[in-house]
């Protein structure tokens, strides 16, 4: 799949993942400098990556571009779901 618009049409990132899934993801990342820092955008990018893999897209550049586009075009309400999830993770 190489069409960016088609990729965006097939990605479903709302609602965000459950807190347990986020904890597992951040605890499994050995290369992260600071596992305690969990930003809303990082969780959204994880969701985009997971969705892209589900539909068979593995191009890292395209996944990053899709995550950037979705973050920039998300509503305040949509972003707040990810912000809240990041805050919950940091408070655990």
């Amino acid at each position: 799949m190489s069409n960016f618009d088609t990729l965006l049409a097939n990605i479903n990132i709302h609602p965000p993942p459950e807190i347990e899934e986020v904890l597992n993801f951040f605890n499994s990342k050995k290369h992260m400098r600071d596992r305690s820092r969990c930003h809303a955008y990082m969780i959204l990018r994880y969701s985009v990556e997971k969705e892209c893999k589900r539909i068979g897209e593995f191009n890292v550049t395209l996944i990053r571009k899709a995550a950037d586009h979705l973050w920039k075009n998300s509503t305040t309400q949509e972003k707040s779901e990810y912000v809240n999830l990041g805050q919950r993770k940091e408070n655990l």
Side-chain angles (χ1 to χ4, degrees), residues 1 20 26 31 33 41 47 52 61 70 74 77-78 82:
M1 177 182 300
E20 294 81 15
F26 281 93
H31 67 277
R33 281 183 261 150
Y41 175 79
S47 294
C52 286
T61 304
L70 290 168
S74 291
Q77 176 62 36
E78 291 168 336
Y82 284 91

Side-chain angles (χ1 to χ4, degrees), residues 26 29-37 42:
F26 281 93
K29 291 294 184 184
K30 294 178 184 175
H31 67 277
M32 289 183 69
R33 281 183 261 150
D34 185 359
R35 289 191 187 128
S36 65
R37 295 185 65 199
M42 293 168 66

